[in-house]
Amino acid sequence: MSSRRHFGTVRKRPSGMWQAIYRDGGRLCSAGVFHQKADALARLSEIETDMRRGSWVDPRAGEITVNRYATDWLARRTGLAVRTRELYGYLLNKHINPKLGELSLVGLSPSKVRRWNSDLARDHPSTAAKAYRLLSTIMKTAVIDGVIASSPCRVVGASTERAEERPLATVSDIDALTKAMPDHLKAVVPLAVWCQLRRGEILGLHRADIDFNNGAIHIERSRTFSRNGTSIVKTPKTRSGRRVIAVPDTVLEILATHFDQFVAPEEDAFLFTSPRGSLITATALQRAWTTARVRAGRVDLHLHDLRHTGLTLAAATGATTAELMHRAGHASPDAALRYQHATRDRDRVIAIALNRICSESTQNLSGTDLLNDRE
């Protein structure tokens, strides 16, 4: 027995159950088997309504695994930077697919995503945030593709990285670290601190980028490294990254000495090379930095902490958020506000000290007034 209607068909099975059937693009599709005929009709009505709204999703499409869809998603992404593609591949292969890869997209529930994220964040909070952001982006694409109806990534705050506060170097530390670096790399430290440059920006500098007449540095490119150590020269990924910043006179003097001793005369010559003239590798720079921080007694410092120190000092001079953004090459004020926050923390310490002096002064004044009253 079957019951025909405007959309789909309901028929009674030999078992006494009612099956809902409909056509989609010429294909005969089953909407499920139900105990009651009314339930089968209701399901067909839901599908018909979703189709008219454009929100209907073929349930068979969601049977594809997370691993397969994510792999295809990454392969389709053109224009990704080499390092970004490497990072995505690493997160998929190391943290997403081993735990979630065999699940179907429709089987990836919010609770499973929440449990996966929680387990990963327990030991690797920063990595967990990166992996969650990637999975969330992939799932949003799956929704757009009509593979799933809604994204299972609904963990509040999971995409936010809460990096621990990095240590700061003192002025004496900066001097000690500079002296401890090999002669051909000594200028790396003042450039990172007093010009607040990233490692890649420092290694990407050419002779022509240093304007001694106007006391400025032109940031036009960065030089980074792939996971296998291959050198990658690229332009800044944001317009704010390409900038011109003023250089303190002391750093200009250091650079002048460095130019005389280590930089080839060509305008496109890199500032930092090995003693033999070849480009500095990531391994060579890290080896030099590791040795320097041990000698300086600051093994807790990463090379990037020098930039962090410099931006904190710049904030302490009273630099505005916009000024910090320009100097650091930030596209968003969020990062710049971190350094102003550090300055406010220091300002609170000063206020506490001033309060102590103020309290002592008030007590002395009160005592004097009391004696005057008695007189």
Side-chain angles (χ1 to χ4, degrees):
M1 177 185 296
S2 65
S3 175
R4 295 190 178 278
R5 55 196 304 277
H6 179 67
F7 176 81
T9 301
V10 172
R11 66 183 180 183
K12 193 171 186 178
R13 307 284 292 179
S15 62
M17 303 285 283
W18 292 88
Q19 183 178 22
I21 302 171
Y22 64 97
R23 287 189 177 276
D24 177 46
R27 295 182 305 164
L28 191 62
C29 305
S30 173
V33 179
F34 305 85
H35 288 284
Q36 303 295 327
K37 180 180 179 180
D39 293 335
L41 292 171
R43 177 56 182 150
L44 287 175
S45 295
E46 291 175 358
I47 295 174
E48 182 181 20
T49 300
D50 288 343
M51 283 184 169
R52 288 177 175 175
R53 291 174 176 172
S55 60
W56 180 80
V57 175
D58 185 348
R60 289 179 297 182
E63 293 175 1
I64 185 175
T65 64
V66 172
N67 187 350
R68 180 181 170 186
Y69 187 84
T71 300
D72 291 344
W73 177 90
L74 184 56
R76 294 195 306 267
R77 292 295 301 272
T78 59
L80 286 179
V82 174
R83 289 294 301 274
T84 302
R85 184 173 293 279
E86 286 186 336
L87 174 62
Y88 287 175
Y90 168 78
L91 292 173
L92 284 173
N93 296 330
K94 181 73 174 178
H95 298 291
I96 296 177
N97 286 334
K99 297 293 184 180
L100 307 175
E102 296 307 312
L103 296 173
S104 66
L105 293 185
V106 292
L108 185 62
S109 63
S111 62
K112 290 176 181 177
V113 172
R114 189 179 302 108
R115 188 179 307 111
W116 160 77
N117 176 258
S118 176
D119 291 343
L120 182 57
R122 188 176 299 114
D123 297 320
H124 309 285
S126 181
T127 300
K130 289 183 175 68
Y132 179 86
R133 287 201 300 270
L134 175 59
L135 181 64
S136 180
T137 299
I138 294 173
M139 291 302 105
K140 288 177 182 177
T141 304
V143 173
I144 294 173
D145 287 347
V147 179
I148 53 177
S150 61
S151 172
C153 297
R154 307 172 196 170
V155 185
V156 178
S159 63
T160 303
E161 290 187 59
R162 298 173 180 82
E164 62 180 18
E165 185 65 28
R166 294 301 307 163
L168 299 176
T170 65
V171 175
S172 60
D173 289 333
I174 295 167
D175 182 57
L177 288 163
T178 303
K179 292 178 179 177
M181 290 288 279
D183 288 343
H184 64 292
L185 295 176
K186 286 187 186 298
V188 167
V189 175
L191 282 172
V193 178
W194 306 117
C195 297
Q196 299 85 37
L197 299 187
R198 302 175 176 90
R199 183 189 74 166
E201 292 172 341
I202 294 173
L203 296 183
L205 289 173
H206 287 176
R207 169 182 278 272
D209 297 329
I210 311 301
D211 183 354
F212 285 99
N213 292 329
N214 297 301
I217 290 181
H218 295 251
I219 310 301
E220 301 288 345
R221 74 198 65 78
S222 66
R223 179 171 170 258
T224 57
F225 304 91
S226 65
R227 288 186 176 273
N228 63 10
T230 302
S231 177
I232 303 171
V233 178
K234 59 182 182 179
T235 56
K237 58 184 179 181
T238 63
R239 289 199 305 173
S240 56
R242 189 172 184 175
R243 61 200 188 279
V244 180
I245 59 174
V247 184
D249 290 342
T250 302
V251 178
L252 286 174
E253 294 174 4
I254 294 172
L255 287 175
T257 301
H258 180 79
F259 267 52
D260 291 340
Q261 297 179 353
F262 303 109
V263 183
E266 294 80 13
E267 289 294 283
D268 62 350
F270 282 97
L271 259 62
F272 295 98
T273 59
S274 71
R276 296 182 179 181
S278 59
L279 291 180
I280 288 292
T281 65
T283 301
L285 178 59
Q286 185 57 42
R287 186 185 302 118
W289 171 251
T290 300
T291 300
R293 66 181 185 177
V294 169
R295 290 178 177 173
R298 286 304 306 268
V299 295
D300 59 320
L301 288 174
H302 295 168
L303 185 59
H304 188 75
D305 293 333
L306 298 183
R307 168 177 157 90
H308 174 71
T309 296
L311 287 169
T312 302
L313 292 172
T317 66
T320 64
T321 300
E323 290 166 342
L324 286 174
M325 287 175 61
H326 168 73
R327 196 155 184 87
H330 288 149
S332 163
D334 295 341
L337 287 172
R338 288 179 53 201
Y339 302 105
Q340 290 187 326
H341 174 70
T343 304
R344 289 196 298 272
D345 288 345
R346 179 58 188 163
D347 190 51
R348 172 53 53 190
V349 173
I350 295 172
I352 293 173
L354 290 172
N355 181 67
R356 188 179 303 115
I357 298 173
C358 179
S359 298
E360 293 175 355
S361 175
T362 302
Q363 290 175 0
N364 293 334
L365 180 61
S366 298
T368 301
D369 289 344
L370 183 60
L371 289 175
N372 290 336
D373 289 343
R374 287 178 178 175
E375 291 176 355

